[in-house]
Amino acid sequence: MKYGIEIEFQGFTSIDYLSEKIYNLGIIITRINDYDLWQIGTDSSMEVSHGYELRTPKFEFFPFDEFKKILSVLCRFGRTVEKAGLHIHFSGQEIDFWTMHKTIRSMKMSRKARKEWCGNRNGSEYDKYQCLRKIRDDHYEVRVFNSTFNLRAIHQNWTTVVKLIEKHKR
């Protein structure tokens, strides 16, 4: 299994400045789509100025140490906002999609703003506006979590997804 996490947030400064601060901690970060590296990019879905998204590299084991360092920068130079989400990607395991989808929809979501992105507007597994979406073959994204810079909460959300995958795998 491979995982990836996206954290949406509002920055108080430029991406270049954030990237430099993270790089100074010894972590390579890029603005291009390289899923073996940490990435930072713009995100217009939050409808705020300086809307950004941090993406982890693909991982098998939760990257505690690097996450802790990066979050220390984001806490100083950014904040989470009402529309910001935390998305967890996974690949390498086929699942019973609609059963897992139903389980996730029944989970309590603490902010109304997350429900806007989890409505399943067209009934397709590939619909971006639902709590679980299929991106391709065995690559999925869980979209129900609120954005946070709290490492414990991020890990707990990831652990929840890992348990759901185990419960709903084919």
Side-chain angles (χ1 to χ4, degrees):
M1 288 286 300
K2 295 283 188 180
Y3 304 94
I5 297 176
E6 302 171 353
I7 300 174
E8 298 171 340
F9 66 99
Q10 182 178 23
F12 300 147
T13 186
S14 71
I15 287 180
D16 291 335
Y17 187 81
L18 289 171
S19 297
E20 180 183 331
K21 291 291 185 186
I22 293 167
Y23 181 79
N24 289 342
L25 296 172
I27 299 168
I28 297 173
I29 190 158
T30 183
R31 291 185 66 183
I32 60 171
N33 287 336
D34 183 336
Y35 299 106
D36 293 321
L37 297 173
W38 288 87
Q39 300 173 49
I40 193 166
T42 58
D43 187 324
S44 61
S45 69
M46 294 180 297
E47 301 169 356
V48 297
S49 61
H50 299 293
Y52 300 143
E53 181 175 82
L54 172 76
R55 294 178 216 85
T56 67
K58 293 183 288 188
F59 64 89
E60 292 179 38
F61 303 100
F62 193 84
F64 277 106
D65 294 338
E66 288 183 323
F67 236 139
K68 185 176 180 179
K69 290 177 184 178
I70 291 172
L71 291 173
S72 72
V73 171
L74 298 187
C75 285
R76 287 186 313 205
F77 301 105
R79 68 181 179 144
T80 60
V81 293
E82 182 71 21
K83 284 198 169 200
L86 182 142
H87 307 158
I88 300 175
H89 289 254
F90 63 94
S91 59
Q93 177 63 58
E94 284 294 325
I95 57 167
D96 182 341
F97 181 88
W98 290 110
T99 304
M100 185 167 167
H101 183 277
K102 182 178 178 182
T103 301
I104 292 170
R105 285 209 31 107
S106 71
M107 295 168 57
K108 182 181 178 186
M109 292 177 277
S110 60
R111 286 199 294 224
K112 185 178 179 183
R114 294 299 339 128
K115 292 179 183 177
E116 173 186 342
W117 295 99
C118 302
N120 192 15
R121 297 179 186 178
N122 68 17
S124 165
E125 293 175 334
Y126 297 95
D127 183 356
K128 181 177 181 175
Y129 299 100
Q130 61 183 341
C131 59
L132 172 67
R133 79 171 173 144
K134 188 173 190 173
I135 294 175
R136 66 183 173 282
D137 298 329
D138 68 344
H139 182 166
Y140 303 89
E141 177 184 31
V142 178
R143 303 175 52 85
V144 296
F145 303 110
N146 298 324
S147 185
T148 181
F149 293 157
N150 180 309
L151 183 58
R152 181 181 290 169
I154 295 167
H155 183 257
Q156 182 177 14
N157 290 336
W158 174 74
T159 301
T160 297
V161 170
V162 170
K163 289 177 182 175
L164 285 168
I165 294 165
E166 184 61 30
K167 180 178 179 182
H168 296 286
K169 69 182 180 182
R170 285 191 184 171

